[in-house]
Amino acid sequence: MSSTLDSMIKTPATSRKRKLALGGGREVDLQDLDAETVEAEVVEAMKQRIIELEDQLAAKPPPTKRARTSAAAAEAPQASGSGAPSKADEKKRKAQLKKICDRLKKECKSEKCKFQGSPKSIRIEEIMEYPEFEAIFMGKGTLIQPTPTNKPKSTVTIIEYRSREQINALFGEDLKALKGIRWSRGGAPFFEKSLKLGQCDVEIAHVEVNYSKNGMKCALKFEVQEEGRRYSSDGW
């Protein structure tokens, strides 16, 4: 017993104290013990501590089992945000798209947007998180930035919708027939005021979307024109 205690006590010294709790709130430093004069109370406390440590080790799975468990966890499928959108996400997407369409319809009918024989530009800005922007705009138009050859690390995304197919893919049924007001041209040579001539059908010729991840600001620039009109160099 003396040799066993001696081997346990005379371990290489470290900066950490090796203390053992005894009855009555006493503590003893194992590194200061003399194996020849150790008290029976200390031996009993060491015995109980050894049993306690063995029980703790027995409760843990063996290393090979832990490794298998970790491997199984690594192989388990992980949740991904790129899956099918939930009903709540789809509802939010439609609500945001409707908000944009309603603002566009209102702008087309405003006196700031006078259809006098030339295309008009309308700018609309919205604040939205990137996943929402991605769900609405990505994959439907032509990505201008970032691309492998154009500012690949940019936090600003630019997408253009140039064709009727791309514009329809973006808005679908959310954007039905647009209406505007046709105006006469005022000014020279008689310096007349422009006058309302009546309602006209309006179509989207081009859309540019500019989204900043840092500010979460989405700016949409619409180019709209009278439906079916082909403009000449003088605007008519």
Side-chain angles (χ1 to χ4, degrees):
M1 182 68 178
S2 176
S3 61
T4 303
L5 286 174
D6 197 55
S7 63
M8 293 176 63
I9 294 169
K10 294 181 180 179
T11 55
T14 64
S15 59
R16 181 180 176 185
K17 294 291 185 181
R18 304 291 183 180
K19 292 185 177 181
L20 183 67
L22 302 176
R26 291 194 304 135
E27 286 186 341
V28 61
D29 191 340
L30 295 178
Q31 292 181 349
D32 294 335
L33 285 179
D34 185 350
E36 299 296 332
T37 60
V38 66
E39 299 174 23
E41 184 182 4
V42 174
V43 175
E44 182 62 24
M46 293 178 68
K47 175 183 173 182
Q48 294 300 323
R49 181 57 178 158
I50 291 171
I51 293 173
E52 180 184 346
L53 291 173
E54 287 179 343
D55 290 341
Q56 290 177 2
L57 287 173
K60 293 182 179 180
T64 53
K65 186 174 181 180
R66 287 200 301 269
R68 287 197 300 269
T69 303
S70 300
E75 293 174 0
Q78 301 296 315
S80 173
S82 60
S86 65
K87 290 184 178 180
D89 290 338
E90 183 64 16
K91 184 177 180 180
K92 188 176 181 181
R93 184 194 71 82
K94 288 185 175 181
Q96 182 66 68
L97 206 52
K98 183 179 184 302
K99 183 179 178 182
I100 293 171
C101 292
D102 288 346
R103 288 189 60 186
L104 179 61
K105 292 175 183 178
K106 184 177 180 180
E107 289 294 326
C108 284
K109 291 182 178 180
S110 71
E111 292 193 0
K112 295 185 297 182
C113 187
K114 296 180 177 181
F115 290 95
Q116 297 171 303
S118 60
K120 298 296 178 182
S121 293
I122 297 174
R123 182 181 175 90
I124 295 175
E125 293 184 357
E126 291 288 340
I127 299 297
M128 62 180 72
E129 295 180 354
Y130 184 74
E132 188 178 0
F133 162 79
E134 192 176 32
I136 295 174
F137 297 102
M138 295 296 282
K140 302 178 181 71
T142 301
L143 181 64
I144 306 300
Q145 175 186 308
T147 68
T149 57
N150 184 31
K151 300 182 180 179
K153 296 182 180 180
S154 177
T155 58
V156 175
T157 301
I158 300 175
I159 307 174
E160 289 187 0
Y161 304 84
R162 302 165 177 167
S163 67
R164 177 59 50 195
E165 290 73 18
Q166 289 179 334
I167 294 171
N168 287 340
L170 175 59
F171 293 106
E173 295 298 322
D174 293 292
L175 187 60
K176 297 180 181 179
L178 291 173
K179 299 292 183 181
I181 305 297
R182 185 184 293 117
W183 291 70
S184 66
R185 288 189 173 185
F190 303 108
F191 299 98
E192 297 175 343
K193 290 184 178 181
S194 58
L195 302 174
K196 288 184 180 181
L197 300 179
Q199 187 171 266
C200 62
D201 294 327
V202 175
E203 63 183 0
I204 301 172
H206 180 267
V207 184
E208 180 182 294
V209 178
N210 188 306
Y211 180 81
S212 171
K213 284 185 179 180
N214 295 335
M216 295 192 298
K217 184 173 76 172
C218 182
L220 298 95
K221 182 180 178 182
F222 293 88
E223 184 177 284
V224 294
Q225 62 189 24
E226 288 187 51
E227 190 174 281
R229 180 179 288 276
R230 296 294 178 265
Y231 298 101
S232 61
S233 58
D234 63 356
W236 289 93

